Amino acid sequence: MKSIKIILTVLMLLFHPDLLLAQVVTKSKFSYGVTAGAGNYSQSDLKEINSLVANQLIFETRLIDDFPPTFFWGLHFAYQINPRLYFGPDYQFHTTGSRLGYKDYSGSYSYDQILSCNSIAVKAENILFEKGVTSFGLRMSGGINLSGWKIIEKVTIGKQTETSLTRLFALRPFIYPSIRVTHSFTGFLEVSVASGYSIDLGGKYRIKNNGGSISDYIASWSGPRLELNIDYSF
């Protein structure tokens, strides 16, 4: 009971009385939308793994992909608490990867690291100022990345192929501050661009089907992002 009182007290302090008054006199407003964007993810540990693998092989491999910036998509929902404050859930899907490869007349070799992430968060946005039908806002998201990391090593000699598969999984909390510029085309349709930097806060990777062994390496989703959002209000 004491913990609940503390939480309620903090919430009351966070929402200034002026904001509470605005909430009473402002009509409730909901919105939902879609997100498309590009992200660049810091993968120093996984790049180190590629270097270690390449140095251990007796033949020279070629780095075909090295965790390049990739596109992502998402869905979001928001509730307008007052004219300048929005709050709601957010979902995004991210993926990236790398490949080492080698091929000659006798066969081929590949070493793939494939990452995917279901990002589930809550997002708050504060509108800093407006100019006509354009607004400028500061957003803060926080949540959990449900991250999967798959390592596939394949060797082909003649007609024979051997494949090794390792799967890892982690729950990685994160925060994602960003700024957003929004243009309202009608009373219910908005288009915006946003830019920010996502920061992973921890979370170890466990190897599936290996007794839950913990990896010493980290596949991170930290890095800069650029978004395009389309929102419909009702």
Side-chain angles (χ1 to χ4, degrees):
M1 182 64 68
K2 185 177 179 180
S3 298
I4 295 176
K5 290 182 179 180
I6 294 174
I7 293 172
L8 291 175
T9 301
V10 172
L11 289 175
M12 290 297 292
L13 291 173
L14 287 175
F15 289 93
H16 190 274
D18 291 342
L19 297 182
L20 291 177
L21 180 59
Q23 182 178 353
V24 173
V25 301
T26 302
K27 183 179 179 181
S28 298
K29 188 175 183 181
F30 296 88
S31 67
Y32 64 90
V34 295
T35 298
N40 190 22
Y41 314 103
S42 173
Q43 302 295 351
S44 57
D45 278 15
L46 276 59
K47 291 180 180 180
E48 180 182 344
I49 291 175
N50 283 338
S51 297
L52 292 173
V53 171
N55 292 335
Q56 291 173 357
L57 297 172
I58 60 175
F59 46 85
E60 185 175 351
T61 59
R62 183 166 65 95
L63 186 59
I64 299 172
D65 285 313
D66 191 26
F67 305 102
T70 56
F71 293 105
F72 64 86
W73 62 272
L75 304 169
H76 52 267
F77 180 86
Y79 169 66
Q80 184 182 21
I81 297 176
N82 64 56
R84 292 188 176 274
L85 187 62
Y86 294 80
F87 184 84
D90 183 80
Y91 168 81
Q92 292 183 355
F93 178 78
H94 301 260
T95 184
T96 187
S98 72
R99 164 168 284 193
L100 289 171
Y102 174 81
K103 187 175 183 180
D104 64 12
Y105 68 91
S106 62
S108 63
Y109 171 85
S110 63
Y111 185 86
D112 297 333
Q113 296 191 76
I114 303 171
L115 305 179
S116 61
C117 167
N118 291 285
S119 178
I120 301 172
V122 291
K123 179 187 297 180
E125 179 175 8
N126 183 33
I127 305 301
L128 300 178
F129 62 92
E130 297 176 318
K131 185 175 182 181
V133 294
T134 302
S135 63
F136 301 82
L138 177 64
R139 300 190 305 179
M140 175 62 76
S141 300
I144 294 290
N145 285 326
L146 285 68
S147 182
W149 173 15
K150 187 163 55 175
I151 302 173
I152 306 172
E153 189 172 24
K154 182 183 293 186
V155 180
T156 299
I157 300 176
K159 295 183 178 181
Q160 295 186 337
T161 299
E162 294 288 336
T163 301
S164 171
L165 172 62
T166 303
R167 295 179 181 269
L168 303 94
F169 179 78
L171 298 176
R172 296 185 57 77
F174 72 95
I175 56 173
Y176 174 34
S178 61
I179 56 175
R180 182 165 82 145
V181 180
T182 304
H183 183 84
S184 179
F185 286 93
T186 67
F188 56 86
L189 182 63
E190 296 180 338
V191 176
S192 65
V193 292
S195 179
Y197 195 99
S198 185
I199 304 168
D200 282 9
L201 300 178
K204 295 287 188 178
Y205 280 83
R206 294 185 178 273
I207 303 173
K208 292 185 177 181
N209 303 322
N210 191 27
S213 300
I214 297 177
S215 172
D216 293 330
Y217 292 93
I218 295 295
S220 171
W221 294 100
S222 296
R225 296 178 187 174
L226 182 65
E227 301 179 5
L228 172 67
N229 300 281
I230 301 175
D231 293 272
Y232 177 83
S233 302
F234 61 95

